[in-house]
Amino acid sequence: MRIEQDIKLDFKDVLIRPKRSTLASRREVDIKRRYTFKWSGREYHGVPIIAANMDGVGTFSMAKAFVADGNGLTAALVKHYEVDELVDFYTENGSDNVWYSIGVTERDVEKLDRFLAKTDGKLDKLCIDVANGYSEPFADFVKRMRDKLPETTIMAGNVVTGEMVEELVLGGADVVKVGIGPGSVCTTRKMTGVGYPQLSAVIECADAAHGLKGFVCADGGCTVPGDLAKAFGAGADFVMLGGMLAGHEQSETEVVEIDGKKFLEFYGMSSSTAMNKHAGGVAEYRASEGKTVHIPYRGPIEPTLQDVLGGIRSACTYVGAVELKELSKRTTFVRVTQQINNVFGSS
Ligand code: 5GP
């Protein structure tokens, strides 16, 4: 047994220190980023925020809202759409704003093959998603997909430490997804005691990936726009959101009324709710259970997006970053014991 003594940090443990700058307004800030992926060679240009492949979040409706929004956000589509539905979606909306999500089962591969048979073997972006990115079969699977799809941008995860990021990047991942346990409806830490504070995971993993020309996606744990600013400040190239994008019109989920108020069900993809819905389809998806919650219905996604993008733009002006690209270079984190004043409640 060993104990690592240096303190690892979460978003709530830090704030970003303001810096002198010449920026007059947040309108001057460009929060799109331009990436060329190591393996696929493809280019990406947009606000690097990804809707998680969760029911109520990674939906066609969400992806369509991103297409309409025009800022280049992307959605990792939930795994249970049928091949024909996927093909129709891609035909109508293009592939710029979506990741095709896949697990590591043969069923997943067989479905992907049926999809590829209808698209002349073409796929822009693939998200390979498992609960535990530390298993050897997972790393082998990433290599197998890289060989099979040399021109597809591959995002794979989840892991939280540099050595595993390196292995995945070297094995064919263009983007490594970082986060074990921080999610809003995740119970991994409770059930297994396993995890890693998300801010430190992002800092360490980004460093490992960037050394190899790979990218990282900070996945899970963002609760407010400021957390995205911290994730980008910590070196994340993409940030994936579940809970922050849940509860909207785009969720493709039934709205229920409780005591005259509107709610939506939201759940982890390995919760019993998800298991029951997609019987057999997601059992292997997360190592431990997720929870099911009812969240207030929030209406259309557009005002939420405006809030999130506005928060990031404003963070950039506070540190004098003209582009999001500069944010991490201009970020100094201050460790804090209190972050937010909740005297009038936590919202
Ligand atoms: P959030 O933005 O809601 O904090 O986190 C979203 C992330 O939580 C997802 O992208 C995914 O990585 C993770 N997640 C989703 N469902 C589950 C689940 O049932 N169990 C666990 N452990 N993680 C989940």
Side-chain angles (χ1 to χ4, degrees):
M1 193 277 293
R2 263 188 69 213
I3 300 180
E4 276 185 33
Q5 296 290 358
D6 52 327
I7 292 181
K8 304 293 178 184
L9 303 166
D10 259 309
F11 296 130
K12 67 164 184 21
D13 300 318
V14 299
L15 288 167
I16 299 167
R17 183 190 190 124
K19 280 201 172 73
R20 280 181 61 202
S21 89
T22 51
L23 270 170
S25 150
R26 60 164 136 158
R27 274 196 298 276
E28 293 172 29
V29 175
D30 177 12
I31 59 167
K32 287 190 180 173
R33 295 220 47 189
R34 197 178 286 281
Y35 300 132
T36 304
F37 296 109
K38 176 187 173 90
W39 291 96
S40 72
R42 285 176 187 262
E43 301 232 334
Y44 165 83
H45 183 220
V47 176
I49 296 175
I50 306 176
N53 51 316
M54 299 173 74
D55 287 355
V57 181
T59 60
F60 285 149
S61 313
M62 188 68 78
K64 283 181 190 167
F66 290 170
V67 174
D69 169 70
N71 276 302
L73 283 80
T74 56
L77 296 172
V78 289
K79 292 177 192 166
H80 57 73
Y81 285 125
E82 300 294 337
V83 168
D84 287 341
E85 294 177 301
L86 286 161
V87 172
D88 286 350
F89 177 89
Y90 277 84
T91 310
E92 281 163 31
N93 302 282
S95 58
D96 285 354
N97 297 77
V98 283
W99 300 77
Y100 181 117
S101 305
I102 186 176
V104 294
T105 64
E106 286 313 311
R107 252 177 72 144
D108 288 317
V109 178
E110 180 267 328
K111 181 175 157 190
L112 177 63
D113 283 340
R114 279 191 286 124
F115 174 82
L116 292 171
K118 298 197 173 185
T119 63
D120 293 332
K122 288 202 188 78
L123 179 60
D124 187 347
K125 296 186 274 301
L126 178 70
C127 168
I128 309 173
D129 186 33
V130 295
N132 175 5
Y134 284 80
S135 75
E136 210 173 293
F138 174 65
D140 291 344
F141 187 84
V142 173
K143 284 196 194 104
R144 181 175 152 202
M145 288 300 119
R146 173 47 67 211
D147 291 342
K148 184 183 172 79
L149 298 163
E151 289 171 11
T152 299
T153 301
I154 295 180
M155 172 160 70
N158 282 21
V159 300
V160 285
T161 50
E163 90 284 359
M164 206 56 217
V165 168
E166 284 168 8
E167 177 162 351
L168 292 174
V169 171
L170 293 172
D174 296 290
V175 186
V176 175
K177 210 143 62 75
V178 175
I180 292 187
S184 59
V185 282
C186 157
T187 53
T188 297
R189 291 179 181 175
K190 197 167 147 189
M191 299 301 288
T192 67
V194 176
Y196 207 96
Q198 183 68 350
L199 184 87
S200 289
V202 172
I203 293 171
E204 293 166 28
C205 291
D207 192 48
H210 295 164
L212 297 169
K213 300 206 164 10
F215 296 110
V216 292
C217 171
D219 176 19
C222 287
T223 59
V224 288
D227 290 342
L228 282 95
K230 291 174 188 176
F232 287 124
D237 304 290
F238 291 89
V239 175
M240 182 172 265
L241 300 177
M244 279 183 69
L245 300 182
H248 293 91
E249 206 175 279
Q250 284 71 14
S251 72
E252 299 178 4
T253 309
E254 192 192 347
V255 180
V256 291
E257 266 199 37
I258 305 172
D259 294 336
K261 292 204 179 92
K262 290 180 175 171
F263 290 89
L264 279 181
E265 196 178 56
F266 179 54
Y267 46 86
M269 291 310 287
S270 75
S271 63
S272 45
T273 311
M275 299 293 172
N276 292 338
K277 256 200 177 95
H278 315 297
V282 293
E284 74 293 332
Y285 176 72
R286 289 290 169 209
S288 66
E289 294 230 325
K291 47 182 157 179
T292 301
V293 294
H294 277 93
I295 53 176
Y297 177 57
R298 300 169 69 190
I301 191 75
E302 288 77 11
T304 302
L305 290 185
Q306 238 177 34
D307 245 27
V308 172
L309 304 197
I312 299 168
R313 257 186 219 112
S314 190
C316 288
T317 52
Y318 271 107
V319 298
V322 185
E323 299 176 0
L324 180 59
K325 186 181 173 185
E326 288 176 16
L327 180 59
S328 68
K329 290 182 202 125
R330 299 186 67 90
T331 292
T332 303
F333 287 119
V334 194
R335 266 187 69 197
V336 296
T337 53
Q338 186 184 348
Q339 200 205 163
I340 290 166
N341 184 341
N342 286 331
V343 70
F344 295 124
S346 57
S347 59

